[in-house]
Amino acid sequence: MAARALAGILWSPNLKEAVNGKAFNLSTLGVISSSQQYRQYSTDKVYEIRTYSLYPKDMKEFMAISEEKLHIRLKASKLIGFWTSEIGGMNQAFHIWEYDSLKHRAQVRASLASKPEWLSQYINRVISMWWKQDNLLTRAIAGPDGDLNQDKSNIYFLQRYNHNKSSMLTLTTELQSLQAGTNIKLVGGWSSILGPKDNAYLMWQCKDPDDFLVWQEKLSDKVKTVPEHSQLLFPCPWSPLM
Amino acid sequence: MCRHTAMMAARALAGILRSSSLKVHVDPLVIYGKTSTLRTLGVISSSRQYATDKVYEIRTYSLYPKDVKEFMAISEEKLHLRLRASKIIGYWTSEIGGMNQVFHIWEYDSLKHRAQVRAALASDPDWLSQYISRVISMWCKQDNLLTKAIAGPDGDLDQDKGNLYFLQRYNSNSSSMSNLTSELQSLQSGTNIKLAGGWSSILGPKDTAYLLWQCKDPDDFLVWQENSSEKVKVVPEHSQLLIPCPWSPLK
């Protein structure tokens, strides 16, 4: 009750102006946990989405070295998930990292850059395997409605939309209502703030990839907004989302 | 003359040059066909930095990931050979919104001046042997475009190290950009975010304009960018976080 009352006060237009022009909410004030903004993802953190394109001949060794040594990286900051692309992109690794802020990200990267075992046991061994790396910074726009499957053997579908954040929020709500009754779960949604404008990603988890194909085809009849690009992703063994 | 008197004289001269009656007499066509400003006439200090009658070449190099570290080392050691040949505005690596990329802006008086600079470099054996031949295989792609300056820094930019830069690319023509830039400049007052410059394409892709912002705290910029895009309604097509290289005049 107190939280709701405080929420009412804090979201009032007057207070928004008063507090130095910054849009505060209860999570940034630490009154409620950030995980209540969206399940698992908070609206005040930043999410870096990285895509690496590898030389085909190096994929196998990259996966082996990563399985052995990427733990050095994983202990430095929070990984949401790490996948390889199966359809809609090949020899690609796709990964999402959470940071409290860009300053936090800079600190993490500075400490990794000065860690000899990170450089010698991982980076120097894999750096010639990448022919391209891309990244963008995003905000979370959706989180899983319910619990995601924690056992291995899930399949993921990544949809990329060319829409701004407010269109995406509307779309995501529609899509979430249409996933009810299926085994398809929304894992999360992210919308770009640095990198290409109006780029949003929705990530879906399912067990049966053919169910997803059927669902995606039916949706575009109802929803009218089609992703610019969609991919089938497989989680890597070290991915928290598996 | 003392700074105060110089400022007064500059303002008086500015007033005269901007007056509508004088405009008729001082038609740009009469003044050697060049649109002059007080900057190019050397009357006010170069804090505004960019001249409307010069050309600015924007170069983007994409490097192979494995070569970035060595490229930076060789450049730190040898790029002075290039810097003495013509004026560089700044040189950055891209941190977010592009990876393994360097972005650099060069000023030339004209395309003829640019050709002279490049011809001199091409016949400079030190430049070729100590730099170019060592780094040339590290670039997987190079792009360039030619621009005119559309904005300069409002006030003095931070000259100490440790600044971060955000580059916004817009797909707008120069008259839309000049409206947008004025709006954004008014929205930056009261923040620690400074406009470092603006450039609009004249060769290369059409209607491509860049605004470069300097700040100390990158998270402040994210918040400012989110707030200003609500007010201004025009969003950059692409935005990047850039880190200045050690040899960059803009640090």
Side-chain angles (χ1 to χ4, degrees):
Chain A
M1 294 289 293
R4 283 206 194 96
L6 190 51
I9 295 165
L10 286 170
W11 275 314
S12 78
N14 294 339
L15 188 65
K16 214 175 178 178
E17 299 298 313
V19 203
N20 303 324
K22 272 190 179 179
F24 278 86
N25 55 48
L26 291 176
S27 66
T28 50
L29 292 171
V31 175
I32 58 173
S33 79
S34 322
S35 61
Q36 285 184 261
Q37 287 291 313
Y38 297 112
R39 275 180 154 248
Q40 292 184 24
Y41 313 124
S42 55
T43 50
D44 54 342
K45 291 186 195 271
V46 292
Y47 294 83
E48 180 179 356
I49 297 182
R50 291 167 80 93
T51 308
Y52 296 170
S53 299
L54 286 93
Y55 293 104
K57 65 175 170 58
D58 293 324
M59 271 305 281
K60 192 173 171 186
E61 203 187 347
F62 173 76
M63 293 294 285
I65 296 172
S66 297
E67 191 162 5
E68 198 197 338
K69 295 294 179 182
L70 207 44
H71 65 88
I72 305 171
R73 177 62 185 86
L74 301 183
K75 64 188 182 190
S77 75
K78 184 177 172 187
L79 175 70
I80 301 301
F82 201 117
W83 299 263
T84 52
S85 182
E86 181 68 11
I87 301 181
M90 291 178 68
N91 305 302
Q92 264 183 18
F94 182 90
H95 31 126
I96 305 178
W97 300 85
E98 181 185 279
Y99 298 100
D100 300 332
S101 64
L102 278 178
K103 284 188 288 297
H104 172 223
R105 180 187 178 276
Q107 284 160 9
V108 168
R109 295 184 62 77
S111 75
L112 282 163
S114 60
K115 203 174 264 206
E117 68 267 24
W118 170 240
L119 300 172
S120 64
Q121 294 178 31
Y122 189 76
I123 289 292
N124 294 343
R125 294 170 70 193
V126 300
I127 199 171
S128 58
M129 301 178 177
W130 305 322
W131 63 266
K132 197 176 197 301
Q133 293 177 293
D134 278 303
N135 63 357
L136 62 153
L137 201 71
T138 67
R139 293 274 187 204
I141 57 169
D145 252 348
D147 292 318
L148 294 172
N149 250 69
Q150 297 298 335
D151 55 4
K152 297 186 185 185
S153 82
N154 292 296
I155 308 269
Y156 291 78
F157 284 85
L158 180 73
Q159 296 177 324
R160 190 183 79 229
Y161 293 86
N162 285 8
H163 287 292
N164 63 33
K165 188 175 170 178
S166 57
S167 309
M168 283 310 297
L169 291 170
T170 309
L171 175 66
T172 309
T173 312
E174 271 196 90
L175 292 173
Q176 276 174 305
S177 68
L178 291 166
Q179 68 174 129
T182 67
N183 288 325
I184 295 155
K185 299 174 195 240
L186 178 67
V187 171
W190 295 272
S191 176
S192 64
I193 53 173
L194 277 184
K197 85 168 184 184
D198 295 347
N199 257 42
Y201 290 90
L202 296 184
M203 175 81 76
W204 304 90
Q205 182 197 64
C206 61
K207 282 261 184 256
D208 186 330
D210 297 296
D211 283 352
F212 186 85
L213 293 185
V214 170
W215 183 72
Q216 192 174 231
E217 276 169 276
K218 286 191 181 151
L219 279 184
S220 45
D221 297 333
K222 291 173 188 164
V223 162
K224 309 295 175 210
T225 304
V226 183
E228 289 301 304
H229 194 90
S230 52
Q231 289 173 259
L232 168 57
L233 304 179
F234 288 164
C236 297
W238 55 87
S239 176
L241 284 170
M242 42 189 79
Chain B
M1 69 175 106
C2 77
R3 188 182 148 78
H4 176 73
T5 315
M7 289 297 296
M8 297 290 290
R11 283 204 194 98
L13 188 51
I16 295 167
L17 285 172
R18 281 199 279 255
S19 77
S20 44
S21 51
L22 188 64
K23 221 174 179 176
V24 172
H25 299 295
V26 203
D27 189 292
L29 286 174
V30 176
I31 310 183
Y32 312 110
K34 273 186 180 184
T35 306
S36 296
T37 64
L38 290 177
R39 289 184 300 254
T40 51
L41 292 170
V43 175
I44 59 175
S45 82
S46 59
S47 68
R48 301 250 175 164
Q49 289 186 24
Y50 313 126
T52 50
D53 55 342
K54 292 187 194 272
V55 292
Y56 294 84
E57 181 179 354
I58 297 182
R59 291 168 81 94
T60 307
Y61 298 169
S62 299
L63 287 93
Y64 295 105
K66 64 176 169 57
D67 293 324
V68 173
K69 192 172 172 187
E70 204 188 344
F71 174 78
M72 293 293 286
I74 295 172
S75 298
E76 191 161 5
E77 199 196 335
K78 294 295 180 181
L79 208 45
H80 65 90
L81 296 167
R82 177 63 185 85
L83 302 182
R84 65 188 183 185
S86 75
K87 183 176 171 190
I88 187 168
I89 302 302
Y91 202 118
W92 300 263
T93 54
S94 182
E95 181 67 14
I96 301 180
M99 290 177 68
N100 307 304
Q101 260 182 23
V102 293
F103 182 89
H104 30 124
I105 305 179
W106 300 84
E107 181 184 280
Y108 298 101
D109 299 332
S110 64
L111 278 178
K112 284 188 286 295
H113 172 222
R114 179 185 180 276
Q116 285 160 7
V117 168
R118 295 184 62 78
L121 283 163
S123 59
D124 180 348
D126 293 338
W127 170 242
L128 299 173
S129 64
Q130 294 179 33
Y131 189 76
I132 288 293
S133 55
R134 292 170 72 193
V135 300
I136 198 169
S137 58
M138 299 180 176
W139 303 320
C140 66
K141 194 175 200 294
Q142 294 176 291
D143 277 304
N144 62 355
L145 63 153
L146 200 71
T147 67
K148 290 280 197 189
I150 56 170
D154 250 347
D156 291 318
L157 293 175
D158 236 280
Q159 297 299 334
D160 52 3
K161 296 185 183 186
N163 292 297
L164 290 171
Y165 293 78
F166 285 86
L167 181 73
Q168 295 177 325
R169 190 183 80 228
Y170 292 87
N171 285 8
S172 304
N173 62 34
S174 27
S175 56
S176 310
M177 282 311 295
S178 103
N179 291 343
L180 176 66
T181 309
S182 309
E183 272 194 88
L184 291 172
Q185 275 173 305
S186 67
L187 291 168
Q188 69 175 129
S189 63
T191 69
N192 288 325
I193 294 153
K194 299 175 195 235
L195 179 66
W199 295 270
S200 177
S201 63
I202 53 172
L203 277 184
K206 82 168 187 182
D207 295 346
T208 296
Y210 289 92
L211 295 183
L212 184 70
W213 304 89
Q214 183 198 62
C215 62
K216 280 260 184 271
D217 186 329
D219 299 295
D220 284 350
F221 185 86
L222 292 185
V223 171
W224 181 76
Q225 190 174 234
E226 278 167 281
N227 289 342
S228 56
S229 54
E230 279 164 36
K231 292 177 187 162
V232 161
K233 307 293 176 211
V234 181
V235 183
E237 288 301 304
H238 194 93
S239 53
Q240 290 174 257
L241 168 59
L242 302 180
I243 298 181
C245 295
W247 54 88
S248 175
L250 284 174
K251 336 195 152 292

